Amino acid sequence: MWWRSASFILDRNDNLLQDDSVPKAESRIISPPSSSMADTLNNPNPIPVNNISAYYQTRAAHHAVVTSDWLAQAQAAVGHDQDTLPSDPDTALNSSSPEKPFSVIDEFNNWRKQPDLAEAVAAIRALASVIRSSEATTMMELQRELKTASDSLKSWDTTSISLTAGCDLFMRYVTRTSAVEYEDFNAAKSRFLERALKFGEISYKARKIIAMLGQDFIFNGCTILVHGFSRVVLEILKTAAQSKKVFRVLCTEGRPDRTGLRFSNELAKLDVPVKLLIDSAVAYSMDEVDMVIVGADGVVESGGIINMMGTYQIALVAKSMDKPVYVAAESYKFARLYPLDQKDMVPALRAVDFGVPIPSKVEVETSARDYTPPQYLTLLFTDLGVLTPSVVSDELIQLYL
């Protein structure tokens, strides 16, 4: 079935593009940059080959889960948050000084100091700063600098799926514009920076859009099971609580790092009724649950997710008891991965503290995440809309074209 995967189709298209050395005249057309997220959605880039602007389209008519009006309302609801966007690092973080040469890793680490900023968004902001500080004099040099910076960020944590996917999407969206063929270098560099900032702005707003869409699935009196600490799931629950909805949350402990304890503390601050469970009590408590909402480290081509260890077994139990499993994930976590089983992933290891000495002859499983196949998931809440797992592969192709 590999020949039907998104990666196969994308690689085949790349080969066809390499064979076609003469671009068509109409492929050089580019729409003017949009001034808002709604403008970006309503004015997709008309480049037929590199139609990355599909990243900002909900395709609601295709997956028939949400309407375009519904998504537009969610986007409009967060449109007034311009003043909450992080400011440029040159002015806010003072990361670049005349005496110190620019480092994309240092810039990335400065952005990561903001607690509410996702790792992938921090990388996107850092890559935008590469364009701003570049001393390149040709487009080839600038693109080479961006590629080197992107590779450096991806190698910073090779196990981070969202970091790799975010860098790849940034490179495709920012650099794949045929407008540079007709502009002088300074104008082309300004266009690159403009597209980079727009991409970062939309990525930053993704969590708010998902929250507006996801909170509509929460109804009064429901009980929600969550697993691990996901900022986008927390944003959904926070939005629902602010909408005066009454619900309770069952929160797993989240071994080995006990992220569920942190999550339950955040819910308590919101005055949301929360009950903490040990991880092995999921099946015992599932009959109380109306829905499961989890985050994701990455969304893969099959429509499945890679997430914190224990997500797979929670989804198995929920499926057997006919409970819906919802996944909240930003579209910059959509990755060109196709795991075939639990071991077919880059290992992400984490030390486990059992509180007692473990004999050296005892082997300890230290994997920090597992893979949940799409048949155990109900819907995915994303900034592209509310998707069924079956259309994720199609969306992923659109993202990477």
Side-chain angles (χ1 to χ4, degrees), residues 230-401:
S230 168
R231 284 175 289 193
V232 67
V233 173
L234 180 61
E235 191 69 27
I236 291 174
L237 299 179
K238 180 179 178 180
T239 303
Q242 291 172 345
S243 299
K244 307 302 182 183
K245 293 186 178 181
V246 179
F247 57 93
R248 63 191 290 254
V249 178
L250 303 185
C251 187
T252 60
E253 179 187 9
R255 297 274 292 179
D257 50 7
R258 297 184 177 180
T259 51
L261 297 178
R262 291 172 49 208
F263 199 87
S264 61
N265 290 339
E266 294 296 326
L267 291 175
K269 295 176 183 177
L270 300 173
D271 293 326
V272 174
V274 57
K275 181 179 181 180
L276 196 61
L277 305 176
I278 57 174
D279 293 336
S280 54
V282 168
Y284 173 82
S285 305
M286 189 60 74
D287 59 344
E288 305 176 37
V289 173
D290 294 297
M291 67 186 74
V292 178
I293 304 180
V294 296
D297 290 345
V299 180
V300 300
E301 296 176 24
S302 63
I305 63 169
I306 298 174
N307 195 40
M308 179 181 176
M309 181 65 71
T311 303
Y312 180 35
Q313 63 190 19
I314 291 175
L316 283 171
V317 174
K319 180 73 172 180
S320 68
M321 300 182 69
D322 201 25
K323 308 290 185 178
V325 178
Y326 301 132
V327 179
E330 302 90 337
S331 57
Y332 55 71
K333 294 181 178 179
F334 282 34
R336 292 185 63 181
L337 298 173
Y338 203 106
L340 301 177
D341 54 38
Q342 297 297 328
K343 304 301 187 292
D344 191 21
M345 298 182 292
V346 176
L349 307 179
R350 190 167 299 169
V352 182
D353 181 14
F354 291 98
V356 295
I358 304 298
S360 58
K361 295 181 179 180
V362 176
E363 183 179 0
V364 176
E365 178 60 67
T366 57
S367 297
R369 60 193 183 196
D370 57 26
Y371 165 61
T372 304
Q375 61 265 33
Y376 302 107
L377 307 176
T378 308
L379 292 172
L380 288 88
F381 303 152
T382 79
D383 48 303
L384 301 176
V386 180
L387 310 178
T388 58
S390 60
V391 302
V392 166
S393 182
D394 184 45
E395 287 291 344
L396 197 145
I397 291 175
Q398 296 299 324
L399 286 174
Y400 282 93
L401 279 179

Side-chain angles (χ1 to χ4, degrees), residues 113-186:
K113 293 176 183 177
Q114 300 188 27
D116 292 332
L117 202 66
E119 189 176 76
V121 179
I124 291 168
R125 297 286 185 181
L127 288 173
S129 296
V130 172
I131 302 175
R132 183 185 295 108
S133 62
S134 174
E135 297 180 358
T137 56
T138 66
M139 288 307 303
M140 185 64 71
E141 290 179 19
L142 180 57
Q143 292 189 31
R144 189 182 296 115
E145 283 186 21
L146 279 174
K147 179 66 166 58
T148 301
S150 175
D151 291 343
S152 297
L153 288 172
K154 289 191 287 186
S155 62
W156 182 82
D157 183 2
T158 57
T159 66
S160 176
I161 299 172
S162 62
L163 180 60
T164 298
C167 289
D168 289 343
L169 286 171
F170 176 93
M171 292 296 295
R172 290 177 181 271
Y173 176 73
V174 172
T175 63
R176 291 196 172 189
T177 167
S178 58
V180 298
E181 298 175 14
Y182 296 98
E183 299 176 350
D184 62 76
F185 174 72
N186 290 331

